[in-house]
Amino acid sequence: MIGESPYPEASILFVDDETGILNSLRRLFRKSGWTIHLAESGAEGLAILEKSPVDLIVSDMRMPEMSGAEFLTDVAQKYPDTVRILLTGYAELESAVDAINLGKIYAYVSKPWDDQELFDTINKGLHLHFLEKERDELLKITKKQNVQLREFNQTLEQKVKDRTSELEQLNTFLDSAYSELKQSYNSTVSVFTN
């Protein structure tokens, strides 16, 4: 049974030239919690992507004007972080290869699809997407912390140099005081001896 997704905050774009299929997909995933966008062409899909970020795209292969492979190739170039899934009833090897190589699709699902399989495939794609986002965030934090650590180390090195300089001055003063004390002691001993 298709229920709520483990990623209800996700935004999904379905692209298909058949309105009936789009409506079917919307009904199928209405309980998922996803924000669902529908486009009847690749151009319409690109227009939606320009207005709002999308985490995952499910696109049909055969569409007029712009094929699914062309659309997904364009998306891969402009929005490389978006997960792309190809949904098609046509088993054309050349078009599928183009979609895989140029569109860098994550998965291929055949029409008619199994509802649970499509739901699971989308969730796996979202899992990958959010793991990559988390990795990118952790990399940013790590870089920022490395910069801070480098600055801290430089500050610490300067403090060590300053403290070392102070200790060297103190050591010089103590050596001088010791020499004076020793000289004074020797003079006192000499006076008492005489």
Side-chain angles (χ1 to χ4, degrees):
M1 183 68 189
I2 306 298
E4 188 170 325
S5 168
Y7 307 99
E9 72 279 9
S11 179
I12 313 289
L13 170 62
F14 292 103
V15 182
D16 198 304
D17 61 322
E18 296 181 42
T19 307
I21 289 177
L22 291 175
N23 290 332
S24 175
L25 289 166
R26 182 195 311 244
R27 278 191 306 276
L28 178 63
F29 299 120
R30 70 179 177 272
K31 293 181 183 178
S32 65
W34 300 328
T35 301
I36 294 179
H37 304 275
L38 304 176
E40 293 184 12
S41 69
E44 190 178 327
L46 290 172
I48 289 170
L49 289 169
E50 286 178 15
K51 294 177 186 172
S52 58
V54 170
D55 300 307
L56 186 139
I57 297 171
V58 178
S59 175
D60 185 26
M61 173 61 88
R62 286 236 180 202
M63 295 184 290
E65 297 173 27
M66 180 186 287
S67 73
E70 293 169 331
F71 169 68
L72 293 174
T73 300
D74 204 7
V75 169
Q77 292 170 353
K78 293 179 181 175
Y79 310 97
D81 295 338
T82 302
V83 178
R84 295 164 297 282
I85 296 175
L86 187 65
L87 178 68
T88 186
Y90 298 93
E92 289 184 0
L93 184 60
E94 186 178 327
S95 297
V97 168
D98 285 346
I100 291 167
N101 291 337
L102 302 174
K104 298 179 179 104
I105 66 167
Y106 166 74
Y108 176 91
V109 178
S110 296
K111 288 181 187 176
W113 64 84
D114 174 85
D115 294 348
Q116 190 63 50
E117 180 186 345
L118 180 58
F119 183 68
D120 291 343
T121 301
I122 290 172
N123 279 313
K124 286 176 187 173
L126 290 172
H127 179 72
L128 174 70
H129 174 73
F130 288 115
L131 279 177
E132 287 176 351
K133 280 179 84 171
E134 186 177 339
R135 180 203 63 208
D136 292 345
E137 286 300 315
L138 289 173
L139 284 173
K140 285 180 189 175
I141 291 169
T142 302
K143 285 180 183 178
K144 182 179 176 183
Q145 289 176 339
N146 282 340
V147 167
Q148 291 172 339
L149 188 59
R150 212 173 295 120
E151 290 171 357
F152 178 74
N153 280 340
Q154 288 173 346
T155 303
L156 187 60
E157 285 176 15
Q158 187 59 46
K159 285 182 180 180
V160 167
K161 285 179 184 177
D162 293 345
R163 186 68 179 140
T164 301
S165 176
E166 288 174 13
L167 290 173
E168 286 173 350
Q169 288 175 354
L170 181 61
N171 191 31
T172 302
F173 172 75
L174 289 174
D175 283 345
S176 174
Y178 175 73
S179 291
E180 288 178 21
L181 185 63
K182 186 177 179 183
Q183 193 176 24
S184 185
Y185 173 78
N186 287 338
S187 296
T188 304
V189 168
S190 179
V191 166
F192 283 133
T193 305
N194 287 334

